[in-house]
Amino acid sequence: MALKFKPVDNVFYELFTESATHLVEGARILAEMLGESPDREAIAARMRDAEHQADETTHEIAKRVNSTFVTPFDREDIYALASGLDDIMDFMEEAVDLTVLYEVVALPAELAEQVEVLQRCAELTAEAMPQLRSMKGLEEYWIEINRLENTGDKSYRRILAKLFSGQYEALEVLKLKDIVDSLEDAVDAFEKVANIIEQIYAKES
């Protein structure tokens, strides 16, 4: 008797798109921290909610991998991509949470450029996820993410230079550096996701 294989579960594409959409929302909430007189406690609460929703999507992807016979691409790549997307949200939530926990009064204006990089990376990643189905038009995505990551690195170095310029109190420098490091980690995590997608593309094309 011939074996009957279940068709590929295409819901993975929808779940990855959903996961990336959470990042767009997370980056938008993060940007609110730089506004005039922001209600940081309320912003942090909304970011925690967004991070929780992102976790639920990640768990759903893992559950699907464990229960699906035929996946659209290698299981280890699905796990890596899901984990990479989840890491980005974690780093953004960490930056917001630290701002509240450290009771930071004023964030350096230079952080705006770093947050803009994160917002653009989130938008591009959300646009790229549906393209995993056809594996077309993805090259421009990871090239642009790499360019944005380089921009983020330059911005990070400029912010550090300002923090250590002597115009901040030592304790304030330590607080702000933790926040800036979380943002830098988020930018780096976007590039990691882009690299994973490039690897998937290389395998599947």
Side-chain angles (χ1 to χ4, degrees):
M1 183 176 71
L3 293 175
K4 294 183 178 179
F5 293 100
K6 292 192 293 183
V8 171
D9 191 344
N10 289 319
V11 76
F12 285 105
Y13 301 117
E14 297 171 9
L15 288 171
F16 282 128
T17 299
E18 181 179 305
S19 185
T21 301
H22 292 315
L23 299 182
V24 174
E25 176 64 8
R28 187 189 66 76
I29 295 171
L30 180 61
E32 290 183 33
M33 295 292 283
L34 299 174
E36 293 185 13
S37 303
D39 184 347
R40 290 182 173 146
E41 291 285 354
I43 292 171
R46 284 192 285 116
M47 180 61 100
R48 284 192 293 272
D49 288 342
E51 193 271 337
H52 178 68
Q53 292 173 24
D55 279 345
E56 289 189 345
T57 302
T58 302
H59 294 153
E60 180 62 24
I61 293 171
K63 186 171 73 174
R64 285 279 182 172
V65 171
N66 294 331
S67 62
T68 301
F69 186 64
V70 181
T71 55
F73 39 87
D74 290 348
R75 292 172 190 272
E76 60 266 29
D77 290 329
I78 293 176
Y79 281 125
L81 182 52
S83 177
L85 292 166
D86 190 59
D87 285 344
I88 296 168
M89 181 62 87
D90 287 345
F91 288 131
M92 291 195 293
E93 193 272 335
E94 179 179 87
V96 169
D97 196 38
L98 288 175
T99 302
V100 174
L101 291 174
Y102 287 170
E103 298 180 343
V104 174
V105 176
L107 292 166
E110 289 79 3
L111 283 185
E113 183 176 357
Q114 198 80 331
V115 172
E116 285 174 7
V117 167
L118 285 169
Q119 287 184 290
R120 184 59 185 145
C121 284
E123 291 166 0
L124 288 170
T125 303
E127 291 169 6
M129 289 302 112
Q131 294 173 287
L132 286 170
R133 190 186 298 268
S134 65
M135 290 292 167
K136 294 179 180 179
L138 287 168
E139 299 95 326
E140 294 84 357
Y141 154 71
W142 64 66
I143 289 171
E144 181 61 11
I145 290 290
N146 180 259
R147 187 194 68 78
L148 286 166
E149 193 274 336
N150 289 334
T151 299
D153 280 347
K154 292 176 183 176
S155 175
Y156 174 68
R157 291 192 291 269
R158 286 195 296 272
I159 295 169
L160 288 185
K162 180 172 182 178
L163 290 182
F164 292 106
S165 66
Q167 67 183 91
Y168 290 94
E169 298 263 349
L171 183 57
E172 197 69 11
V173 169
L174 294 176
K175 293 178 179 180
L176 291 173
K177 187 177 183 302
D178 276 354
I179 295 166
V180 173
D181 284 346
S182 294
L183 296 179
E184 172 67 4
D185 288 340
V187 174
D188 289 343
F190 269 114
E191 186 180 42
K192 181 180 177 182
V193 164
N195 290 339
I196 292 169
I197 290 176
E198 184 175 6
Q199 292 166 12
I200 292 171
Y201 175 86
K203 288 180 182 179
E204 300 298 321
S205 298

